[in-house]
Amino acid sequence: TAAARERGFAAVHALPIRLRDQTLGAMNLFRAEPGTVSADTIAVAQALADVVTISILQERATRESALVVEQLQSALNSRVLIEQAKGVLAERAQMEVSEAFRAMRDFARTSNRKLLDVAAAVIEGRPDVAELVIHEG
């Protein structure tokens, strides 16, 4: 109150920024003079608060949509890398592609590594996964 008075405000009116029964925030109307706000001013201010609600919801939807797209792209990239590694390992170890996948999956589990990390190591030909190329069978 003291800070508002120091800046010349004598009254404040709050209008809800809401979606149905959920309040997202408030829009405040500050006045230099004490007193009530007219019904017309309240109607216009509430319309502006409703526009703010739409803007907040649109921003949230856009952000959530971008997150889903990012997650799907990451999953697709991971799948492509794993598929490439299956092919590389199958060729190097002279095994079936399904067997190559099982070998990578089992290696990832027993070495407590992510399958994606194992796949990248296979493609790069790193020595830490060299035992996968030794075909037993």
Side-chain angles (χ1 to χ4, degrees), residues 72-92 95-109 113-124 132:
L72 289 173
Q73 187 62 53
S74 178
L76 180 60
N77 292 345
S78 297
R79 186 68 189 170
V80 167
L81 187 71
I82 291 168
E83 291 298 321
Q84 289 173 345
K86 285 167 43 178
V88 168
L89 183 57
E91 189 277 327
R92 286 182 186 159
M95 62 174 70
E96 295 294 320
V97 173
S98 60
E99 189 180 352
F101 177 72
R102 279 193 298 277
M104 286 193 311
R105 184 192 60 210
D106 293 346
F107 182 82
R109 286 179 182 162
R113 292 171 64 179
K114 293 180 180 176
L115 179 59
L116 195 57
D117 294 339
V118 172
V122 166
I123 290 170
E124 294 167 10
L132 285 172

Side-chain angles (χ1 to χ4, degrees), residues 13-40:
H13 302 275
L15 297 160
I17 297 173
R18 63 181 176 233
L19 173 65
R20 297 178 192 88
D21 294 333
Q22 181 185 8
T23 301
L24 306 174
M27 184 173 78
N28 300 315
L29 305 176
F30 293 90
R31 294 175 43 105
E33 302 288 328
T36 61
V37 179
S38 72
D40 288 344

Side-chain angles (χ1 to χ4, degrees), residues 25-74:
M27 184 173 78
N28 300 315
L29 305 176
F30 293 90
R31 294 175 43 105
E33 302 288 328
T36 61
V37 179
S38 72
D40 288 344
T41 300
I42 294 291
V44 169
Q46 188 61 61
L48 289 173
D50 293 344
V51 169
V52 169
T53 300
I54 293 167
S55 298
I56 289 170
L57 296 174
Q58 180 62 38
E59 189 278 331
R60 280 184 185 173
T62 300
R63 187 173 3 108
E64 290 170 3
S65 176
L67 179 61
V68 168
V69 167
E70 183 180 322
Q71 290 171 339
L72 289 173
Q73 187 62 53
S74 178

